[in-house]
Amino acid sequence: MFQTEVLPRLQALGGGRRVVRKTFSIAGMTESEVDARVAPIYKTYDRVQTTILAGTSHISLHLSRWLDPGEEPSDLIELASRIQEALGSAIFTTENEPIEAVVGQMLRQAGSSLAVAESCTSGMVGAYLTRIPGSSSYFSGGVLCYSNKAKTDLCRVPEETLERHGAVSGETAEALARGVRQVLGSAIGLSVTGIAGPDGGSAEKPLGLVFVGLSDDNRDLHIRRILPGDRDAVRERAAFFALACLRRFLMPESAAGKP
Amino acid sequence: MFQTEVLPRLQALGGGRRVVRKTFSIAGMTESEVDARVAPIYKTYDRVQTTILAGTSHISLHLSRWLDPGEEPSDLIELASRIQEALGSAIFTTENEPIEAVVGQMLRQAGSSLAVAESCTSGMVGAYLTRIPGSSSYFSGGVLCYSNKAKTDLCRVPEETLERHGAVSGETAEALARGVRQVLGSAIGLSVTGIAGPDGGSAEKPLGLVFVGLSDDNRDLHIRRILPGDRDAVRERAAFFALACLRRFLMPESAAGKP
């Protein structure tokens, strides 16, 4: 009914004008980094409106353009193509999908499988991944390794690693990722360990410090990041960051670059 | 500034009138069950406004009463006390706390510890529990037992139990709760297994069917429920339902009653 009855009337009211839009979802860059990169480009397109929105976890860049009757959005298409080139693989979708849908699709296409070990996020990564119907075809499960006992007994982290480097360290993150994929027989292991606050920070390991670990048969690695915000925000950002790192890990190496 | 500058002016504008409020958060009852129980009471208090709100997971009952200068809210206090009596232990807080704060406080006071095994919620229960700062003092961690391998290898569910009763069954829920508390050395085990959809339902085991398992040294039990809604809603409700069942499990038996 909207298509056949409402839309024509609205179009007539608008004098036949219509709007076209394009949205980019961006991971691993701040709002000001995105703006510094794309402002020199979009400022030369004065009929396209460009808006940058910063959410808790990621940045969205919105283009919109009003078209007169019969007009084509060729400037918007050109600007979108230049933005795509400028931001490259930092764009995780132009379809407004959540990142768990993007990595889910990559895992499915690769015929791969994933297990997670979550300390500071304690279930948020697993909860996001399984929002996608059919995620059981690539998601094996995981461990909420909140206590050290969960890290050693369920994720096979050597006690020596915990003693020498601490629960929040790159070494522990890698051991968690390796251990959880082994115990669950998955191709890939993903881990998150960090200090969400409000207590537990120190000069050496401040609040917001997060390590993401990744492991498969070919490599073990970790990524360190200090995330801003209160306990809820750090956890939310850490869960998203873990999924963004997983996306990089799943990309062909030539396309990946900086997480 | 609000207290010293704005509030007195607003109070003057309102002619010295003020409002007092009381909120009840209720688990394990539907909106119409709550209304059937309390309507005969609140209808006799015509100066107290009563509103029942149904969220995805629980029901809130709000009382508010405008007071003239110098008036006391004695009718609201009396009504609140009668509602408290009528709904009893279905009220999980009158302080607007989330249920994870309520069960966290109970676990802390009992000096107890908890491990979780989550299938269909896959991390949501663990994520809620650890929103509370200091939850590491009672939350040991858990297992996202999305796959059968996670159920058998990490939560010690006998393969025979899975084969005979299925992954979504009371027997599996109890075995998960018992297993996860044993592997993590916790006093209490809590599990959730269910069919969140959109696929996987059958006549015998419909979409929305959820079993919560609970285990400690003295007893193993499970609770069965069919939850309404789409995949997101079933998962959200299942996570809350698990926490509501845990709350019942932690209450002295005389105070518990129906979950």
Side-chain angles (χ1 to χ4, degrees):
Chain A
M1 202 185 89
F2 184 84
Q3 290 285 337
T4 56
E5 300 289 329
V6 183
L7 198 59
R9 292 189 199 192
L10 287 177
Q11 283 172 337
L13 282 173
R17 296 187 79 211
R18 63 194 174 93
V19 68
V20 286
R21 300 175 200 281
K22 178 89 179 173
T23 302
F24 300 90
S25 304
I26 299 149
M29 295 177 78
T30 64
E31 190 176 1
S32 51
E33 285 167 353
V34 171
D35 199 48
R37 189 88 66 90
V38 297
I41 308 171
Y42 70 70
K43 280 185 177 156
T44 63
Y45 292 80
D46 54 1
R47 296 200 58 192
V48 181
Q49 195 188 332
T50 303
T51 312
I52 300 179
L53 292 177
T56 307
S57 56
H58 71 276
I59 307 292
S60 305
L61 191 154
H62 299 263
L63 308 181
S64 64
R65 166 80 156 90
W66 278 97
L67 298 174
D68 291 325
E71 199 181 7
E72 289 302 317
S74 48
D75 53 353
L76 181 135
I77 291 168
E78 187 184 291
L79 172 57
S81 153
R82 292 183 62 188
I83 285 174
Q84 183 93 43
E85 199 180 312
L87 297 177
S89 64
I91 299 165
F92 65 86
T93 181
T94 56
E95 307 293 329
N96 265 322
E97 300 159 295
I99 196 158
E100 61 268 23
V102 174
V103 295
Q105 188 61 20
M106 293 170 90
L107 288 164
R108 193 193 305 269
Q109 279 173 355
S112 192
S113 60
L114 176 72
V116 299
E118 302 188 55
S119 182
C120 63
T121 51
S122 192
M124 297 171 75
V125 175
Y128 281 131
L129 285 164
T130 55
R131 286 194 63 193
I132 309 300
S135 45
S136 59
S137 70
Y138 50 81
F139 182 62
S140 316
V143 175
L144 309 183
C145 48
Y146 218 57
S147 62
N148 278 354
K149 185 172 173 63
K151 293 182 182 74
T152 54
D153 291 14
L154 292 183
C155 298
R156 300 184 186 169
V157 176
E159 283 189 23
E160 196 205 323
T161 303
L162 287 174
E163 275 163 30
R164 185 182 287 181
H165 304 286
V168 179
S169 65
E171 289 80 1
T172 296
E174 289 189 22
L176 283 169
R178 190 167 51 243
V180 81
R181 79 172 170 89
Q182 286 169 351
V183 295
L184 283 169
S186 305
I188 299 171
L190 168 66
S191 72
V192 199
T193 178
I195 303 169
D199 303 316
S202 67
E204 195 199 349
K205 294 189 176 178
L207 291 186
L209 176 66
V210 169
F211 291 90
V212 167
L214 279 155
S215 171
D216 67 10
D217 273 341
N218 302 313
R219 50 189 171 150
D220 293 344
L221 59 86
H222 70 266
I223 306 112
R224 179 186 188 276
R225 188 66 60 97
I226 295 175
L227 301 170
D230 64 10
R231 181 177 177 88
D232 281 348
V234 166
R235 280 158 46 94
E236 186 69 39
R237 290 183 166 121
F240 181 88
F241 178 55
L243 293 172
C245 292
L246 171 63
R247 174 176 162 266
R248 291 281 171 185
F249 193 78
L250 292 168
M251 287 169 75
E253 276 192 43
S254 57
K258 157 188 178 235
Chain B
M1 202 184 92
F2 183 84
Q3 289 286 338
T4 57
E5 299 290 327
V6 182
L7 197 61
R9 292 190 200 191
L10 287 176
Q11 282 173 337
L13 282 173
R17 296 186 80 210
R18 63 196 175 91
V19 67
V20 286
R21 299 175 201 282
K22 179 89 180 174
T23 303
F24 301 89
S25 303
I26 299 149
M29 295 177 78
T30 65
E31 190 177 0
S32 51
E33 285 167 354
V34 171
D35 198 49
R37 189 89 64 91
V38 297
I41 307 170
Y42 69 70
K43 280 184 178 158
T44 64
Y45 292 79
D46 55 1
R47 297 200 58 191
V48 181
Q49 195 187 333
T50 303
T51 312
I52 300 179
L53 292 176
T56 306
S57 55
H58 72 275
I59 308 292
S60 305
L61 191 155
H62 300 263
L63 307 181
S64 64
R65 165 80 156 91
W66 277 96
L67 297 175
D68 291 324
E71 199 181 8
E72 289 302 318
S74 48
D75 52 355
L76 181 135
I77 293 167
E78 185 184 293
L79 173 56
S81 152
R82 292 183 62 187
I83 285 174
Q84 184 93 43
E85 199 180 314
L87 297 176
S89 63
I91 299 166
F92 65 86
T93 180
T94 56
E95 307 293 327
N96 264 322
E97 299 160 295
I99 196 160
E100 61 268 25
V102 174
V103 295
Q105 188 61 21
M106 294 170 88
L107 287 164
R108 193 192 305 270
Q109 279 174 354
S112 192
S113 60
L114 176 72
V116 298
E118 301 188 54
S119 184
C120 63
T121 51
S122 192
M124 297 170 75
V125 175
Y128 281 129
L129 285 165
T130 54
R131 286 193 63 196
I132 309 301
S135 45
S136 59
S137 69
Y138 50 80
F139 183 62
S140 317
V143 174
L144 309 183
C145 49
Y146 218 56
S147 61
N148 279 354
K149 186 174 173 60
K151 293 182 181 76
T152 54
D153 292 14
L154 292 183
C155 297
R156 301 184 187 168
V157 177
E159 282 187 25
E160 195 206 325
T161 303
L162 287 175
E163 276 163 31
R164 186 180 287 182
H165 304 285
V168 179
S169 65
E171 290 80 359
T172 296
E174 288 188 21
L176 283 169
R178 190 167 50 243
V180 81
R181 81 173 169 89
Q182 286 169 351
V183 295
L184 284 169
S186 304
I188 298 171
L190 168 66
S191 72
V192 199
T193 179
I195 303 170
D199 304 316
S202 67
E204 196 199 348
K205 295 188 177 179
L207 291 185
L209 177 65
V210 169
F211 291 90
V212 167
L214 279 155
S215 171
D216 67 10
D217 272 342
N218 300 314
R219 50 189 173 152
D220 294 343
L221 58 87
H222 70 266
I223 306 112
R224 179 185 188 275
R225 188 66 60 97
I226 296 175
L227 301 170
D230 63 10
R231 181 178 176 87
D232 281 348
V234 166
R235 281 159 45 93
E236 186 69 38
R237 290 182 167 123
F240 180 87
F241 178 55
L243 293 172
C245 292
L246 171 62
R247 174 176 163 266
R248 291 281 171 186
F249 193 77
L250 292 167
M251 287 168 75
E253 275 191 46
S254 55
K258 159 185 176 236

